[in-house]
Structures are given as C-alpha cells and as structure tokens.
Amino acid sequence: ILAMAVKDSLTGGSTDDDSTKDEWQKKQEPLLVQMLAAELGVETEDILDFELNLFDVQTASLGGLHSEFVHSARLDNLASCFLSLRGLIDHVKGGGVQNDEDISMIAMFDHEEVGSSSATGAGSPIIGEAVKRINHALGAGADSPILYDRAIQRSLVLSVDQAHAVHPNYASKHEKNHGPVMNGGMVIKRNANQRYATNGVTGLIIRQLAKNAGLPPIQEFVVRNDCGCGSTIGPVISTATGMRAIDMGCPQLSMHSIRETMGVKDFTHGLALFKAFFSDFSAIDSKIEE
C-alpha cells in the first residue's frame, strides 16, 4: 500500500498501464489481484470486486489421553450446522418424513457473531417468509391467514450455538451449579435479561426429549450475575416472528480461537438430540398443552 502511494505521488496518480482500471481496481494490492486471477484463470482486469476471508485450513484432530477431545477451527458453530444437517438427513432416510405431522427444517444464518442484522442474518424475514411459503405450498396460507398464526404458535426454534464449558483455570466464571463440562451432554443456556430465549416450557421440552432418547441429563449454563452475557439468534428469531425458542448447544473451550476444543461424545449426544427433536417434538409438545 505504501509503495502504491509513493508511486502515485511520483507519477501524478496515473500511468499508462492503469489507465483502463477503475478507481476500485487501482486501490487493490497488485500481487493479490494477480494471484486471484491466476487461481481463477482470468485476466486481472476481469476482477471487478471480491470478498475474501482468511481461515485455518488445518484438518480437525483428536486429542486427550483417550482421544476424548476434538480440536478444530470454527467448531462454533460448524459443529451445530453439521449435527442439524446430519440429523435431518437421518430423519428423512429413516422414513420419518412419511409419518410427520410437522414440517422439519433447518436454517443456517450468516453474521451471527456480529448481530444478525443483515439480509441473510437471523434478524431478516427469512424464517417468517419460509413459513408463509410453506403454508401457501400446502394450500393453506392464501385463503386462511389464521393458519399461519397457528403455525407460528405451534413452532419451536432450536437456536443451537456452542456453549462455554467450565475452564479449569477460570472455573469461578461460572455459577457453581451451572457449569457445563465437555463430554457431559448438551447444554441449555438461560439468562434473566433475555439474552437467551430459553423459558420454562422450552427447557422442559428439550429435557424430556433427552430423557426419552436415553441421553445424559441436559446441562445448564447460567452466566454469573456480575459478568456480562453474550447472546445468539434465539431472541432475535423470537422477536421477529413470535416463535417459541430455546438456546442450547455443545460445550466447548477456546471459543472464537483459531483452534477450538469440544468433547467427542458431545457429537453423539447432539446428533441423537436433533434426531429425537425431529421425530418426537410434536408428541411431547401436545402433552404439555393438555
């Protein structure tokens, strides 16, 4: 960048070789643009804009005395994306869709770490519009808008982001009775200030799903009262749509580091819980309503 500034100063801001470039192209690092052009098999002049991100390309690895931990980049939140997708695929392959009275779906949003306020974030109309389109496809939404309202009321959103496990060096950061551990099962996240969307009913549904599936008791995460609390997409979707929601996830360490750590068993626990949700949610929810 400094070299380009010096060059512009000495040449008056333009030279014969960049006379055909627009202002955006002139401000890019030439070596970077050349590398991109070579990778894409195009001329540098053909690149009019780009969005680039750097990320760790190392593959995941197992660690611990008994290989009980997974070390990988972006476990938050690719772990939940993988588990939800795998759970839905297994639900379909197992014939669950043929017996479903509900619509089973997953949504993976951009920009959760920066507030979700974007056209492709959880704060967008995507979920509400998806429900409307499904209603229309089933022949219900156009002539009976009240069915859309009922669909919203009967829906449940699992906002499944990763959860902070107790760090042995900073155990005091957790409430004494609400410190999740890795390989100990899925975690429900609660916050009195509504930073998480979990309430008594949605928490009960998930605990009962886990119990029926023979999974370890659901762990609970509560931030200490004198500590700040992050948030995720549960409250965002609930506010935008009126759907019930719960915030939960797999416990992990080193969240947002270039290499994160979670328990191997929690992949199994998470997948089993997603499959139980797709197959058994309606039955449990109807009993609560009664």
Side-chain angles (χ1 to χ4, degrees), residues 4-15 18:
M4 293 173 64
V6 172
K7 180 180 177 182
D8 286 345
S9 177
L10 294 174
T11 61
S14 66
T15 60
D18 67 1

Side-chain angles (χ1 to χ4, degrees), residues 15-278:
T15 60
D16 293 339
D17 62 348
D18 67 1
S19 59
T20 60
K21 296 180 181 179
D22 63 23
E23 288 302 313
W24 179 89
Q25 291 173 320
K26 294 176 183 179
K27 291 179 171 60
Q28 307 311 308
E29 167 54 48
L31 292 178
L32 175 62
V33 176
Q34 291 170 16
M35 182 186 71
L36 293 175
E39 289 289 329
L40 297 171
V42 299
E43 299 296 326
T44 57
E45 293 78 11
D46 295 332
I47 299 178
L48 303 181
D49 206 332
F50 52 70
E51 294 183 16
L52 298 176
N53 294 281
L54 299 177
F55 60 92
D56 182 18
V57 296
Q58 297 182 75
T59 58
S61 62
L62 297 178
L65 188 61
H66 303 290
S67 296
E68 67 270 37
F69 301 121
V70 177
H71 307 298
S72 178
R74 302 179 298 282
L75 288 172
D76 175 41
N77 189 36
L78 293 184
S80 299
C81 292
F82 167 75
L83 292 173
S84 61
L85 180 58
R86 183 74 258 173
L88 184 60
I89 291 173
D90 289 351
H91 179 64
V92 173
K93 287 185 175 179
V97 173
Q98 285 76 11
N99 301 319
D100 274 351
E101 295 181 358
D102 306 313
I103 301 296
S104 297
M105 60 182 289
I106 60 175
M108 302 177 190
F109 294 101
D110 292 332
H111 309 136
E112 185 270 338
E113 299 291 357
V114 292
S116 298
S117 297
S118 68
T120 54
S124 69
I126 289 176
I127 286 291
E129 289 178 353
V131 176
K132 289 180 181 178
R133 291 180 181 182
I134 291 170
N135 279 356
H136 280 279
L138 296 176
D143 299 325
S144 183
I146 193 65
L147 291 181
Y148 170 78
D149 297 333
R150 288 292 293 155
I152 292 293
Q153 293 168 7
R154 293 177 66 86
S155 297
L156 176 62
V157 175
L158 302 193
S159 169
V160 189
D161 202 357
Q162 296 289 87
H164 291 282
V166 173
H167 193 293
N169 293 336
Y170 304 98
S172 61
K173 291 294 184 180
H174 285 75
E175 289 284 1
K176 181 178 180 181
N177 296 321
H178 298 87
V181 296
M182 292 185 292
N183 287 315
M186 297 291 284
V187 180
I188 288 176
K189 297 182 274 188
R190 299 181 186 270
N191 182 256
N193 293 325
Q194 299 301 301
R195 301 293 288 172
Y196 299 128
T198 307
N199 59 34
V201 173
T202 58
L204 172 62
I205 291 172
I206 296 303
R207 293 199 308 273
Q208 193 61 45
L209 282 170
K211 182 178 179 180
N212 290 357
L215 294 172
I218 296 292
Q219 303 186 87
E220 298 269 351
F221 170 71
V222 179
V223 174
R224 275 178 31 180
N225 290 337
D226 58 347
C227 294
C229 179
S231 187
T232 183
I233 66 173
V236 175
I237 294 178
S238 283
T239 301
T241 65
M243 292 182 183
R244 296 174 294 170
I246 182 170
D247 279 295
M248 55 184 299
C250 298
Q252 74 160 74
L253 294 178
S254 305
M255 190 177 293
H256 303 158
S257 297
I258 195 168
R259 297 291 280 181
E260 302 174 333
T261 299
M262 66 176 288
V264 171
K265 290 182 180 179
D266 292 324
F267 275 101
T268 303
H269 299 151
L271 178 58
L273 188 60
F274 271 113
K275 292 165 69 173
F277 174 69
F278 289 133

Side-chain angles (χ1 to χ4, degrees), residues 154 205 244 280-290:
R154 293 177 66 86
I205 291 172
R244 296 174 294 170
D280 301 333
F281 159 69
S282 183
I284 293 176
D285 190 42
S286 63
K287 290 180 180 179
I288 293 175
E289 290 184 349
E290 291 172 1

